[in-house]
Amino acid sequence: MKKKVILAFSGGLDTSYCAKYLSETLGYDVYAVTVNTGGFSKEEEKELERKALNLGVKEYRCVDAQEDYYNSCVKYLIFGNVLKNNTYPLSVSAERTIQAQEIAKYAMEINAEAIAHGSTGAGNDQVRFDLIFQVMCPNIEIITPIRDMALSREEEIEFLKSHGYEMEFHKAQYSVNKGLWGTSVGGKETLTSRNYLPEEAFPSQIKETQPSELEIEFKNGEVVSVNGENFEHSVYAIQKIEALASVYGIGRDIHVGDTIVGIKGRVGFEAAAASVIIKAHHLLEKHTLSKYQQMMKSQLSDWYGNWLHEALFLDPVMRNIESFLLDSQKTVSGKVFVTLHPYRFVLNGIESAHDLMSDKFGSYGEANRAWTGEDVKGYTKIVSNSLNIYHQINQNIN
């Protein structure tokens, strides 16, 4: 019997080459797997299956991991208001980690001898896939033809043609990776430090120019309602917000950061839902959490985002941080009111039963109801005591 290999299949040139090479040259039975983390429709899924079967794979499977992706990762990115370098909502890095886990599970399910992916040796994804596979199924061989043989695009095309496979080999001007939590966009501009992506590079073009109102309701930190419409799962609420906000061109930017492989990288993205939800959630937290909760959350959230980006999602400390983030959301419930405009949005305010800006205790700069002027005098006397001692003893130090 032939050995089984699981191929992480996207339908692009690299994974198409892998499918043919693994079966025709290495003699494997190829089980192609696509993990849907919110990147494509049922029609696109059928097209991927058609491509895979035409390449001669033994079996094709599409795993719908959207809800698992949200439950295990995205909701914690919301709880933590995670933006890598204060910019990027970690769209692709989060996806790859979940996709790799689903592929590893399938490989173990069918007792595969090997797992293959089409990553090159130049990016982050090779580390994300390899690391998950090595931890979850260390006895299964990892095969990476594109990376190992340093293949050029032309060599891949020639191989496919010589094995009787014809496809649209035209290279798109921009590489686009769509998912639930955002879409990455790469092109010639992102290979430089100077140029911004042109309007036509972004998949979601502006269709609305007049402002519109958006009401987002959170329950314990999770989106449960959009404009009064309730959703069975937060995945569908995210998709609703994406549909409403993407037509304004909201959530576009370019992220600059350090790659896992040690070089600086630049990638464009559009993430309308992620941008609006994170900022709306953060505003609600400003009203419903104590200042020290917010300070600790900010520090732990930065660590969480960095470890996720660096392929360390399976480190047990991530579960510890998730426990903290989950516990912090007990009072993060209420409505956030947003106005959508072309290229931007405005957070107008919130309503919450847990709003700590209650006028029962005073109005900032206007009235106090929980203390007196004498209370403040005594407080500032005590607080300033250590500072007074320091400055009096060290008067001669500049």
Side-chain angles (χ1 to χ4, degrees):
M1 292 179 63
K2 291 183 178 181
K3 291 182 178 180
K4 299 175 184 176
V5 60
I6 303 298
L7 171 63
F9 186 74
S10 68
L13 176 60
D14 292 335
T15 58
S16 295
Y17 173 89
C18 289
K20 272 291 181 189
Y21 176 77
L22 291 166
S23 61
E24 299 284 343
T25 304
L26 299 188
Y28 280 94
D29 275 340
V30 180
Y31 292 74
V33 182
T34 304
V35 182
N36 184 8
T37 47
F40 48 86
S41 64
K42 289 293 182 183
E43 291 71 25
E44 290 167 322
E45 179 186 328
K46 290 177 182 176
E47 177 61 17
L48 283 169
E49 181 176 19
R50 185 192 65 78
K51 281 185 178 180
L53 295 175
N54 284 344
L55 283 160
V57 306
K58 184 176 180 64
E59 185 178 304
Y60 173 81
R61 174 184 289 194
C62 181
V63 178
D64 187 345
Q66 293 179 89
E67 292 188 11
D68 287 342
Y69 175 35
Y70 172 86
N71 293 335
S72 63
C73 186
V74 171
K75 75 177 181 181
Y76 297 107
L77 297 178
I78 297 172
F79 293 168
N81 308 308
V82 176
L83 292 172
K84 178 74 171 172
N85 288 2
N86 297 314
T87 304
Y88 179 49
L90 290 176
S91 310
V92 175
S93 44
E95 279 186 1
R96 293 294 184 260
T97 297
I98 303 306
Q99 289 166 347
Q101 289 181 81
E102 292 294 336
I103 291 164
K105 290 176 189 174
Y106 184 42
M108 292 184 286
E109 177 187 325
I110 69 166
N111 297 314
E113 283 81 10
I115 298 177
H117 60 85
S119 298
T120 69
N124 289 326
D125 286 347
Q126 58 178 326
V127 180
R128 293 175 181 136
F129 281 120
D130 282 10
L131 195 148
I132 293 291
F133 298 154
Q134 288 174 10
V135 172
M136 291 185 65
C137 44
N139 297 320
I140 296 179
E141 181 185 2
I142 301 171
I143 304 174
T144 54
I146 311 302
R147 175 176 64 183
D148 295 345
M149 294 186 285
L151 294 170
S152 69
R153 181 178 178 83
E154 290 70 27
E155 288 173 316
E156 294 176 53
I157 292 172
E158 184 57 37
F159 176 85
L160 285 169
K161 285 182 175 178
S162 69
H163 285 76
Y165 183 74
E166 294 290 338
M167 63 178 288
E168 177 53 64
F169 293 117
H170 172 70
K171 184 177 181 180
Q173 189 175 359
Y174 295 97
S175 61
V176 175
N177 186 93
K178 183 180 179 182
L180 176 69
W181 204 230
T183 300
S184 67
V185 183
K188 61 182 181 181
E189 293 84 4
T190 57
L191 298 176
T192 73
S193 299
R194 169 66 179 84
N195 298 314
Y196 195 75
L197 289 165
E199 183 77 20
E200 61 269 18
F202 295 97
S204 297
Q205 295 294 295
I206 293 181
K207 299 174 183 175
E208 293 288 347
T209 57
Q210 296 303 309
S212 64
E213 302 305 311
L214 176 63
E215 176 190 296
I216 305 173
E217 183 175 358
F218 293 86
K219 183 176 181 181
N220 303 131
E222 298 188 68
V223 181
V224 294
S225 173
V226 179
N227 290 343
E229 180 183 355
N230 297 321
F231 293 88
E232 182 181 342
H233 195 282
S234 292
V235 163
Y236 310 111
I238 292 170
Q239 291 171 342
K240 178 70 173 182
I241 294 171
E242 180 69 26
L244 294 172
S246 62
V247 292
Y248 286 95
I250 287 170
R252 296 176 176 181
D253 208 338
I254 290 183
H255 164 60
V256 182
D258 298 284
T259 66
I260 304 172
V261 293
I263 59 176
K264 293 285 185 182
R266 197 165 180 251
V267 64
F269 66 90
E270 60 172 33
S275 300
V276 173
I277 290 169
I278 286 174
K279 292 301 182 182
H281 177 266
H282 190 203
L283 176 61
L284 185 59
E285 284 194 328
K286 290 178 185 178
H287 283 263
T288 58
L289 296 184
S290 73
K291 66 178 179 180
Y292 295 119
Q293 281 179 300
Q294 293 178 70
M295 288 172 64
M296 287 305 300
K297 276 187 75 268
S298 178
Q299 295 174 52
L300 288 174
S301 297
D302 278 347
W303 279 108
Y304 189 85
N306 284 328
W307 268 309
L308 177 62
H309 179 268
E310 302 294 310
L312 296 173
F313 183 75
L314 294 182
D315 191 302
V317 75
M318 296 291 274
R319 310 292 82 77
N320 302 142
I321 297 175
E322 287 166 0
S323 295
F324 176 89
L325 292 175
L326 180 63
D327 186 74
S328 74
Q329 299 301 294
K330 290 178 179 177
T331 61
V332 187
S333 297
K335 296 178 180 179
V336 182
F337 303 97
V338 184
T339 303
L340 305 177
H341 298 269
Y343 301 111
R344 66 186 179 93
F345 59 94
V346 177
L347 301 174
N348 299 310
I350 68 108
E351 284 182 0
S352 173
H354 304 283
D355 188 357
L356 299 177
M357 193 177 158
S358 171
D359 61 8
K360 292 179 182 177
F361 305 100
S363 298
Y364 178 69
E366 297 293 331
N368 57 2
R369 297 188 179 91
W371 66 91
T372 67
E374 291 302 312
D375 293 333
V376 177
K377 290 178 183 178
Y379 170 76
T380 52
K381 179 72 174 176
I382 296 300
V383 170
S384 66
N385 192 39
S386 63
L387 292 174
N388 279 327
I389 293 171
Y390 176 88
H391 286 285
Q392 288 180 38
I393 288 178
N394 299 298
Q395 292 182 50
N396 296 326
I397 298 176
N398 290 328

